[in-house]
Each structure stands twice: as C-alpha cells, then as structure tokens.
Amino acid sequence: MAATGLEKKVKDNFLTCSICFEMYTGPCTLRCDHTFCRKCVTSYIQTRPDAVQSKTIPCPSCRQDTKVPDPSRPVEEWAGQIKASIVIQGLIDTYRFEVAVQETSGTCCTICQKLGETMQGVLWCAECQVALCDQCVKIHRVAPNSLNHDLCDLASRSKIKRRITCTEHKSNRVQFHCQDCGKAACQTCYIIYHRACKTVATIESMKPVMKTTLMEKRLGMEKKLKVRSKKLGISNEKLQNSSRVTEAAVRNIRLISQKAIDKIKEKEKQLLDELNNISQTYARQLQADVELEEIEMQMYRQHCEFIDQALVSDCEMELYEAYQAWESGAAEMEDVSDTETADTRRIDEIMFTPDTLKVLKAIDNLQLGKFDVTHEDQGTCPSPIMVDMIDGKVAGDEQKPDLLKVTVLVVDGVQTCVVMDYANKCVKSYFIRNNDSCHSKLRLLNPPNGMTQLNKNQVMVAVSDSRQIVTIEVTPDLVLLSTITTRSKYYSLAFLNPSSIAAGRWKCVDILDMTGHVLRSVTTYNDFALFSSPDYLCVNNKGNVLVSDCGIKSVTCLTPEGAVIWTYTPTEDGALCFPCGITTTSTGDILLADRGTHKVIQLTESGDFVRELLTIKEDDEGITWDIFSDKYGFLFLCASTEVKEYMFVW
C-alpha cells in the first residue's frame, strides 16, 4: 500500500535530498542548516576545486561555506566529519516503519500469488519466509515438511526468532553444536556425522555458556577500549604538548638567529667605523698636500716676478741686488711642509679585501643549538597508569576500613573486586550492575587473614582466630557456602589444584587437602629455616608456590611437593624492606609490593630483578598491602582504605 498523502508530503518536502532527489542516506546538516546525503556532499565537493583549495564545504543551495574540522584528512572523508542530523534520521526511521506496517497489513499470500491469485495474507512462516492466507495456513500445518514450522501474525514477523536451516538438509533446522568438530548440525547431521562425537549439545542448552562467554569477551573489549581511550588521551595531550614545544623551539631559534644577526651587524658597524676613520685620515693628508703645493706655487710665482722686475730694470743696482740675493741665499725657498703631518705615517692607498671563505666557513660551522630527541624503548614495559579507584568504606562499616588482600573475578561478564576488611571483620565485593556501582558484604565472626580464588566464582578465606577456612560464592553478591576447621591458624592461602591448597602460618607453609588436613609441611631447606611470616602466597603459571615473607624479607619459590626452586633475598640498596602482596602476570612475570619502600618490584619468572615498576606516593592515604594482576593486564593495588586500578598503556 502506498504512503498516505500526508506522509508523501513529509517525504517529498522534508526527507528528500535536493541533490539526488531520493530519501536521505546518512543525512548531515551543514552550518547553514541545509541537509543533504553524506555521499551527495562528498560527490559535490569533488566537483568544486575551489572548495578543496579553501578546505571548506560550500552549500549546494545557498553557497555558504562550512569549515572542515580536519582538512588534513582525505577529501572523501570530509563529509564524514559533519555532524549527523539525528532528528531527520529519526523522522526517516519513523516514516519507514509506518510504511512497512502499512505494507505488512496489505501483504498478499505468497503461495497464491505464484498461482496467479490475490489472497490476503494472515500469518507469516519465518522458516519458509512466506506470507500465508487462511487456506494456505491449513495446508502448511498438515504438510510433513512444514507441520513443525512456527507461524506468527504479519505485524510481529520481525520479532520472531530467527531459524537457521541446515545447508545440507534444507528442510531441517540447526539444533546442535558439536564441540569436537566445532560445527553446527541438524538432527540428520547429528545422526550421520556426529554419532561418535563426545561433546554434542543443543544450542538451546548452550545459551548460558554462550552468554557468559560473550559477556566475558565484552568485558575484555571494554578493558581494551579503556586502554585505547587512555592512550588516545595521552596521545592528544602529547600532541598539544608537541605544539607548545615546537612553538617555543621556533621562538628560541629565531631569538638565537637574531642574536647572531645582531652580532654580524655589530661587526659590520666596526668595519664601517674603521673605514670611515681611515678615509678621513687619508683625506686630511691629501688636503694638506694640496694646500702645501698651492703655497709653494705661490712662492715660486713671487720669486719669478722679482727676477722679472730686476731683468727689465735699467738700473744696475736693482739687477745687482737681485743677483746678490740669490747668490747669498737670502731668496732660497723656505720649507712650508706641515711638521705634524710629516711626523705621521702617510697613507698611500686604502683597500678592503673581504675574507669570504673564512666568513662562509665560520657561518657553516656556526652552531645555533641542537635538538635532543629521545625515543621510546620498544622493549621496555611502560609504567602503569591509574584509571580507577574503589573506596573501601561501605554502608554499615563500624570501623575505618583496613583492606588487607584483594582478588578480581569475572562473574557472568561482570568484573567483581573482592577484598578482605580486617577492621570490620568481613569480606566485600565491588561491581557494576546496570551502570550503577554496587557492593556486597559478608560478615565473619573474626577478622579475615588470607584469601585465594578457588574458581571463576568462588573464593576461600582464612579466619585465623577461629582456625577456619570459609568458601564464599561470588554471584557477584557474596554467599557463604561452607566452612572447614583447621588445626592451625593460617594467615595466607593459595589455590594449587582442585584437591589441595597452600596455607601459610607462623614459620611454615602447609599443603592442605580440601577438608583442611595437612598433607605436608615446608619449614626448612638444607637445615635452614625458610620462613618467618609467610603472610602472602600466590601460584605462578607453572603451578609453583610463591611465598612473600616480611619476616626474613625474601621471596621463595616452592614446588607443590615442597622443594625450593629459588629465593630472592637482595641486599644493600636493593634489599627488601617489608615485602607483602605478590602476584603473577599473564606473561609469567612476578610483581611484588614492598610496603616499606612504597614500591612495586618486577621480577622474572626465575626470580631475577627486572625493575621498579611503580612507586606509590608516600602521602597517599593508607598503606599498600596486596597486589593482583588480572588476565587482561590490569593491576589492582589494595591499600588500607581503597583499591586502585592501574593499566599499562603501550
């Protein structure tokens, strides 16, 4: 059925692109409030070289320019940077839904149409993907191949569960999954091909497992997203920093260049002043010579006139006097030279020979400065960055929290942080539910001391004063499952395998069965006492027990049978001060929290020192007791009053 007149007017006037004259595809609104298809805007830009040159998007209707947020990207991506028109997209979705409903209400029977008849469809078969009239419905429900097909009304056909048919047996639905072969199967495939397989389950029965797996995958993606988001923030910050550093460097380069230019100008002025002084001296000397020559010439003229007068005179006495004057020397030329000028070295010629090669060489060798570029060491693990913090105080606490140990579980795709609160005699869990921060608390008779993760949703907690080990289910709410009584007071626990756990007590590490009975005790090695206060335990990737002992300030690696593999007891500057929490990473490295030095130390799987991974500020509230590394590479530091979450940004 066609759209009504009103719907057609809405479509033509408000939902149609004026470039392609079709309903908007990915509508985007320019600065002038005109809307076009994103692909049409891209095509239009490519026809406008002036737009590419000016890095703007001109409106095809009013020619007003819209600035491109990031013009460095390819032109094909410019339209993708324009804000999408959410309102228009919503109108398009509503329009299409209404048209679809109208078309659905007028759908004809598919079977009858093939026979050349027009009958109103009433039901929909999701497996055959056909509309059926009343008569065809009756036939469909009795036909052997379709009697088990689920039918629904046409209006709700989009909500019916999707059925997948077997690619080999077209009439059969896929109902099974063979875990041995990793394939889906119908009933016939199961009988023919998977009869000998051991792990074949119905897809319906796998729903809880599939949901849990997908939720865990989603959590992993969220973790990676958090890392990428943090990395993006750091990169943007570095980018802004780089711009500031570059601008400062440009200013410094121009400043030092100007200083060099000023110095050259100063040298130029010195040379010009020196040239001026020499030129003036030379000019004065030449002027004095000119004046002297003029004086001497004047004297010669006077003597010539005197002689001429004597020669033309008829008087013998005048002639005699002139003669007598030259003979006696009375008429000799006097020295009229400038005595002051005569005492000064005379300048014969002024010449300037530029030392071009030396100047150019000096300029070439001129160092205005240098760049110091540091590069990231790809082989070094970066320092972790704090991304979250959990407040240990919850409603109902009577004392200030004193959180001693921490572990993190993923329960049905929900990350759950479980901690022991010694002061309030309880175990607490923290998690997110429906985007809200939630917590759970399980009270104990006495303060808890040790904790280990038993499986995906269970933990074991040692209560030393009661000589008990309790098992708690994490849903992520906390539920007490069982309690066992032990002969000794245990302060630390580590899960070894489904039948045994390691437990630390005063000067000893015991291997217990699941009922609390001691299978073996480890106290000495080569007649030397191994332990004093083994208050923190964990199990590495090879199944060996790592013991952090604050009494003798060491870390010891034991096999489950009690044999010592290695010990880490550094001395001098690297000596441990108060080792406490210990954990292993997915790569096998060991992380140790040293409460005395406020540091987290990284060791290799064989107990060799790698580096100081993290330094906790001494003014932070609380003392760091425990550390835990999850499978996603996130670190959780348990302080007295809070839990801090860290991550690595590569």
Side-chain angles (χ1 to χ4, degrees):
M1 182 180 294
T4 65
L6 177 60
E7 290 170 347
K8 188 175 186 307
K9 288 181 180 179
V10 171
K11 174 181 177 296
D12 294 342
N13 295 331
F14 300 102
L15 304 180
T16 300
C17 176
S18 60
I19 297 178
C20 63
F21 299 105
E22 298 289 342
M23 186 176 289
Y24 290 122
T25 302
C28 62
T29 303
L30 301 180
R31 181 183 178 186
C32 54
D33 294 331
H34 287 128
T35 303
F36 306 93
C37 298
R38 203 174 294 278
K39 60 181 179 58
C40 292
V41 173
T42 300
S43 301
Y44 180 71
I45 296 173
Q46 294 173 341
T47 65
R48 294 289 302 273
D50 55 330
V52 177
Q53 186 175 3
S54 62
K55 302 186 186 323
T56 59
I57 301 176
C59 175
S61 296
C62 67
R63 301 296 187 266
Q64 184 175 345
D65 290 335
T66 298
K67 186 178 180 181
V68 180
D70 186 6
S72 62
R73 304 294 300 166
V75 176
E76 293 78 7
E77 299 180 12
W78 284 10
Q81 301 177 36
I82 304 302
K83 186 177 180 182
S85 180
I86 300 174
V87 175
I88 292 180
Q89 186 62 56
L91 290 173
I92 292 173
D93 295 340
T94 303
Y95 172 83
R96 286 175 174 165
F97 175 78
E98 292 296 332
V99 172
V101 170
Q102 292 178 26
E103 290 176 350
T104 299
S105 63
T107 301
C108 296
C109 175
T110 308
I111 306 299
C112 293
Q113 277 185 330
K114 291 181 180 180
L115 299 175
E117 299 178 6
T118 303
M119 297 295 293
Q120 181 65 39
V122 292
L123 292 180
W124 174 264
C125 177
E127 295 188 38
C128 299
Q129 292 289 300
V130 294
L132 302 171
C133 63
D134 289 329
Q135 187 64 29
C136 291
V137 167
K138 294 176 182 179
I139 299 172
H140 209 72
R141 283 177 171 166
V142 295
N145 292 336
S146 59
L147 59 88
N148 293 323
H149 291 187
D150 293 330
L151 304 180
C152 68
D153 59 89
L154 294 172
S156 59
R157 65 182 182 180
S158 61
K159 300 179 182 178
I160 195 169
K161 293 182 180 179
R162 187 165 63 96
R163 303 285 180 160
I164 302 176
T165 57
C166 179
T167 56
E168 184 175 349
H169 309 98
K170 303 296 183 181
S171 61
N172 292 354
R173 292 182 301 177
V174 172
Q175 295 175 282
F176 303 95
H177 174 74
C178 178
Q179 296 182 10
D180 295 342
C181 303
K183 294 182 178 180
C186 66
Q187 182 73 36
T188 306
C189 288
Y190 172 62
I191 296 172
I192 297 174
Y193 304 116
H194 303 282
R195 183 183 299 179
C197 297
K198 296 181 180 180
T199 53
V200 179
T202 63
I203 294 177
E204 185 70 24
S205 67
M206 291 176 61
K207 282 175 62 177
V209 176
M210 291 189 294
K211 283 185 177 180
T212 300
T213 302
L214 290 175
M215 290 177 72
E216 289 187 6
K217 293 291 184 183
R218 186 181 186 280
L219 177 62
M221 292 299 105
E222 287 179 346
K223 291 273 189 179
K224 291 180 180 179
L225 180 62
K226 184 183 288 187
V227 173
R228 290 290 178 265
S229 177
K230 193 69 177 179
K231 185 177 180 180
L232 178 62
I234 293 174
S235 298
N236 284 331
E237 185 178 348
K238 285 184 177 180
L239 185 60
Q240 294 176 0
N241 228 16
S242 173
S243 299
R244 291 193 292 268
V245 170
T246 301
E247 290 174 0
V250 169
R251 289 195 299 270
N252 289 333
I253 290 172
R254 287 176 175 168
L255 180 62
I256 192 67
S257 299
Q258 189 59 48
K259 287 184 177 179
I261 292 172
D262 292 343
K263 195 67 178 176
I264 293 175
K265 291 286 187 181
E266 184 179 337
K267 290 287 185 182
E268 178 190 33
K269 185 176 183 302
Q270 290 177 356
L271 286 175
L272 292 176
D273 289 345
E274 184 178 357
L275 175 61
N276 185 53
N277 291 335
I278 295 173
S279 298
Q280 289 181 0
T281 301
Y282 186 36
R284 285 196 299 269
Q285 290 179 355
L286 293 177
Q287 185 65 33
D289 290 344
V290 169
E291 293 176 353
L292 178 61
E293 292 299 333
E294 289 178 347
I295 292 173
E296 289 182 348
M297 289 173 62
Q298 183 65 27
M299 291 176 61
Y300 285 130
R301 289 192 188 97
Q302 291 176 357
H303 286 299
C304 287
E305 292 176 357
F306 176 70
I307 294 173
D308 289 341
Q309 289 177 3
L311 290 175
V312 298
S313 176
D314 295 333
C315 182
E316 295 84 353
M317 288 306 296
E318 290 183 4
L319 184 63
Y320 176 77
E321 287 177 357
Y323 172 78
Q324 197 65 23
W326 284 102
E327 287 297 325
S328 63
E332 286 293 337
M333 297 286 292
E334 295 182 6
D335 187 4
V336 295
S337 62
D338 189 349
T339 56
E340 181 179 350
T341 304
D343 294 338
T344 304
R345 294 187 60 187
R346 293 182 57 81
I347 298 173
D348 182 47
E349 187 179 7
I350 300 176
M351 295 182 63
F352 176 73
T353 305
D355 199 346
T356 306
L357 293 177
K358 188 174 182 180
V359 171
L360 293 178
K361 186 176 180 180
I363 292 176
D364 289 339
N365 296 331
L366 180 64
Q367 293 292 332
L368 298 179
K370 66 176 182 177
F371 294 102
D372 294 322
V373 181
T374 58
H375 297 85
E376 294 180 356
D377 188 351
Q378 298 297 327
T380 302
C381 180
S383 298
I385 299 173
M386 191 174 77
V387 294
D388 199 5
M389 191 270 290
I390 300 173
D391 188 357
K393 185 176 180 61
V394 300
D397 283 352
E398 298 177 356
Q399 304 290 333
K400 182 179 179 181
D402 188 9
L403 311 181
L404 294 185
K405 297 183 180 178
V406 61
T407 189
V408 178
L409 302 83
V410 178
V411 183
D412 294 333
V414 178
Q415 177 178 289
T416 307
C417 180
V418 181
V419 297
M420 295 184 337
D421 189 341
Y422 186 88
N424 290 286
K425 301 178 184 178
C426 67
V427 178
K428 300 174 179 177
S429 67
Y430 302 88
F431 52 93
I432 303 295
R433 178 181 288 162
N434 297 327
N435 294 325
D436 293 328
S437 298
C438 304
H439 70 271
S440 177
K441 184 197 297 189
L442 179 65
R443 295 186 181 276
L444 303 172
L445 294 177
N446 289 295
N449 299 92
M451 180 171 63
T452 186
Q453 185 174 334
L454 193 59
N455 53 42
K456 285 188 175 181
N457 63 340
Q458 291 182 359
V459 295
M460 298 185 79
V461 177
V463 186
S464 60
D465 290 347
S466 304
R467 287 186 168 84
Q468 292 179 335
I469 297 177
V470 299
T471 302
I472 301 172
E473 183 178 14
V474 184
T475 64
D477 293 308
L478 303 177
V479 180
L480 180 63
L481 294 181
S482 63
T483 302
I484 60 175
T485 303
T486 59
R487 296 179 59 184
S488 304
K489 293 183 176 181
Y490 291 108
Y491 300 93
S492 57
L493 298 174
F495 175 76
L496 292 173
N497 52 57
S499 61
S500 62
I501 58 174
R505 60 184 173 92
W506 178 248
K507 296 185 177 181
C508 179
V509 173
D510 289 336
I511 307 299
L512 310 178
D513 62 16
M514 287 304 176
T515 63
H517 294 103
V518 178
L519 301 178
R520 69 188 67 87
S521 298
V522 183
T523 57
T524 60
Y525 181 70
N526 291 338
D527 296 329
F528 288 97
L530 277 176
F531 310 114
S532 173
S533 301
D535 292 339
Y536 288 85
L537 307 177
C538 80
V539 177
N540 66 9
N541 297 347
K542 295 181 178 179
N544 298 319
V545 183
L546 300 174
V547 184
S548 174
D549 193 318
C550 63
I552 61 175
K553 302 176 181 178
S554 69
V555 176
T556 304
C557 181
L558 304 172
T559 65
E561 292 73 29
V564 176
I565 300 176
W566 54 262
T567 59
Y568 177 73
T569 312
T571 57
E572 298 179 355
D573 294 340
L576 299 175
C577 185
F578 200 111
C580 43
I582 190 168
T583 188
T584 59
T585 67
S586 57
T587 59
D589 287 342
I590 301 167
L591 303 180
L592 175 68
D594 192 337
R595 171 185 147 191
T597 60
H598 305 278
K599 297 181 183 298
V600 174
I601 301 168
Q602 181 181 354
L603 307 177
T604 64
E605 195 172 12
S606 57
D608 297 321
F609 177 83
V610 177
R611 61 167 177 158
E612 293 177 354
L613 181 68
L614 181 65
T615 300
I616 301 99
K617 295 181 181 179
E618 296 185 13
D619 57 354
D620 283 355
E621 186 176 356
I623 301 172
T624 301
W625 288 102
D626 198 14
I627 185 172
F628 180 82
S629 174
D630 68 6
K631 63 181 179 181
Y632 304 106
F634 282 66
L635 298 182
F636 296 82
L637 288 183
C638 179
S640 300
T641 59
E642 60 194 15
V643 177
K644 298 176 182 177
E645 183 179 2
Y646 291 81
M647 72 177 182
F648 294 97
V649 180
W650 294 89

